[in-house]
Amino acid sequence: MSVVTRFAPSPTGYLHIGGARTALFSYLYARKHGGKFLLRIEDTDRERSTDAAVKAIFDGMEWLGLAADEKPIFQTQRFGRYGEVAQDMLKAGTAYHCYCSKEELEQMRNEQMARKEKPRYDGRCRHRTEPRPGVQPVIRFRNPTGGAVVVRDLIKGDIVFQNAELDDLIIVRSDGTPTYNFCVVVDDWEMGVTHVIRGDDHVNNTPRQINILSALGATPPQYGHVPMILGSDGVKLSKRHGAVSVVEYRALGFLPDAVLNYLVRLGWSYGDQELFTREEMQRLFDIERVQKAPARFDMEKLVWVNHEYLKREAPENVAGEFRWHLERLGVQPADGPKLEDVILAQRERCKTLVEMAEKSKFFYADVAAYNEKDAAKHLTPAAADILDALVAELKALPEWKPEAIHAAVHGLAEKKGVGLGAVAQPIRVAVAGMAVSPPIDRTLFLLGRERTLVRLEAARAYAAKK
RNA sequence: GCUCCCAUCGUCUAGAGGCCUAGGACGGAGCCCUCUCAAGGCUUAAACCCCGGUUCGAAUCCGGGUGGGAGCGCCA
């Protein structure tokens, strides 16, 4: 039987970084086994589900490059089917109407809590034959009362639940809409899902789902519950830890593949290997090697991974994201050196694309103001003299090539009897507005002669006035 | 409270009874290199939660404790 996995988020917000990881695991598992990866939108809670959230999820998945193999399924479009299945169960006696009011249930729970018991439905409508007039009933699943359910979890191993611990959960609300646990079961069954890879928070739902599946005569899929991601302080990851939505990671300057690489190593490992190509991830990933304990999210490590990707990736592959960041800074990248060339020149010193964009802005836009400290330190009267001489040298260059620029700069330092720093640093501040840039020959070459000379002149004037 | 899960450096992890004087990576510290910032190279500090048991031998197996997490809705 071929593998079918699925990612089933509820559209009540952005695509969470933890959700992205379970999606990735599902995706990789399907890819590895030549199966299918499906996407299902669990929007049965019409109160909280929004179209904007659906879009946010699609956008996030697309940015990460986690494409589903078929059109996404929306649960709200399957209400008819859930109703049919519920009716079948009613007929078969595996489900029954319950007329208890919310107040009644509430009271029951309170009493159980007071007795220090686990709050659960006590099955008082199980054998009711007559409807309660004027009450719209809910439909409950008739859970087996004896025996146990064994969840053979791919990650956690066997987990045993006593049926006596489980109660009769509601599968259809009094307004006729189906509930989560019921939709999941019907969908996983009819979508032919063979491997359910999902968050840890669903383990306790699993025995119920298996019971319903069995009542339906279906073979339960395999389950793998991946531990959640914690914040750096060991507490559940939330907004106060910073970015949680995957699109925020784009804004922070991360490459999608770097995010994926970081995520796959969070809770999973393959020996000592840290970096994986997409192909390696698909080939090497193994759900059974996923860690059982939750892992903390470490931004520092992500930054490192991202930097590694920036350094290794072909510049053509990062140009798109780089452009996006430049434009975000209000810079028009068309007017200046090729993005690929700038990436090559900058990537050693930039760990994120935000950093790269900020440090590369000067290639595409005029220097609005010098960094105060850098200007004070390097644009001195002595530097004015050097800049002056340099302008003359550069103007005279027969060819605007890195080698020629290099020779001119070094030659000038020698002629003036100063260290290279004494000429390179003023140049940096002059052309970049700050004392940080790629190697000076590279920088001037990319910037172009025209722009270089204008900025050198401006800086010379600025320095001379001091 | 009840049910279920988990536990190796600060963090992510390797480790499936002797290969462990516990390895790698991020981060930290130091040194080298150097036109800035980096990158790179080298060195270094840093962990098996505790207590019992099994065994010739336990980070690895078992039991208990402690600590963390998840779930207990007409939410998903």
Side-chain angles (χ1 to χ4, degrees), chain A residues 331-392:
Chain A
V331 169
Q332 191 41 257
D335 184 24
K338 272 180 64 186
L339 293 175
E340 286 82 353
D341 292 335
V342 174
I343 290 164
L344 248 18
Q346 292 283 39
R347 62 185 184 179
E348 266 179 22
R349 76 206 80 249
C350 302
K351 293 179 195 287
T352 69
L353 287 163
V354 166
E355 210 184 316
M356 189 181 282
E358 277 163 0
K359 286 181 176 166
S360 304
K361 213 177 152 178
F362 73 90
F363 282 118
Y364 304 97
D366 289 337
V367 174
Y370 298 124
N371 173 291
E372 240 174 86
K373 271 191 181 164
D374 292 342
K377 186 169 178 194
H378 300 295
L379 294 184
T380 58
D385 176 48
I386 289 173
L387 257 15
D388 196 39
L390 183 73
V391 168

Side-chain angles (χ1 to χ4, degrees), chain A residues 13-207:
Chain A
Y14 42 72
L15 176 57
H16 190 273
I17 194 77
R21 187 177 62 143
T22 52
L24 172 64
F25 287 179
S26 290
Y27 172 89
L28 292 177
Y29 193 84
R31 282 286 159 282
K32 172 171 182 153
H33 294 94
K36 282 193 292 190
F37 169 65
L38 272 24
L39 181 60
R40 183 172 75 219
I41 303 297
E42 311 220 318
D43 52 356
T44 52
D45 183 353
R46 284 124 125 193
E47 297 276 300
R48 297 198 298 152
S49 300
T50 66
D51 290 346
V54 171
K55 184 173 186 305
I57 290 165
F58 288 165
D59 288 350
M61 296 290 282
E62 193 193 330
W63 183 68
L64 287 172
L66 298 179
D69 292 308
E70 286 174 14
K71 285 229 169 308
I73 287 169
F74 289 80
Q75 290 190 323
T76 42
Q77 291 172 8
R78 289 175 45 79
F79 274 16
R81 181 56 191 145
Y82 304 134
E84 284 171 23
V85 177
Q87 286 308 314
D88 290 348
M89 290 177 74
L90 239 23
K91 256 179 238 149
T94 52
Y96 61 92
H97 287 295
C98 167
Y99 294 84
C100 296
S101 67
K102 291 184 183 182
E103 294 70 32
E104 230 172 311
L105 263 18
E106 180 68 34
Q107 195 192 336
M108 186 194 306
R109 268 193 283 270
N110 289 339
E111 288 170 5
Q112 287 164 333
M113 296 274 245
R115 269 182 269 129
K116 303 195 168 182
E117 288 168 16
K118 179 178 178 173
R120 51 202 287 274
Y121 180 65
D122 64 4
R124 57 182 65 177
C125 287
R126 267 195 156 214
H127 304 292
R128 172 186 287 276
T129 47
E130 293 304 305
R132 197 185 271 181
V135 177
Q136 272 304 319
V138 300
I139 300 176
R140 284 185 188 271
F141 170 62
R142 193 184 299 275
N143 198 80
T145 48
V149 187
V150 179
V151 180
R152 313 209 91 99
D153 196 277
L154 261 11
I155 296 169
K156 295 177 182 290
D158 288 2
I159 308 170
V160 182
F161 291 88
Q162 294 303 320
N163 272 321
E165 290 293 334
L166 272 24
D167 61 357
D168 294 346
L169 79 164
I170 292 171
I171 58 175
V172 176
R173 301 184 184 94
S174 49
D175 67 0
T177 59
T179 60
Y180 166 77
N181 276 108
F182 186 53
C183 298
V184 166
V185 163
V186 174
D187 287 339
D188 283 340
W189 178 32
E190 299 194 336
M191 287 163 73
V193 173
T194 59
H195 298 262
V196 172
I197 294 168
R198 65 197 344 178
D200 220 350
D201 46 337
H202 292 286
V203 261
N204 292 289
N205 288 324
T206 309

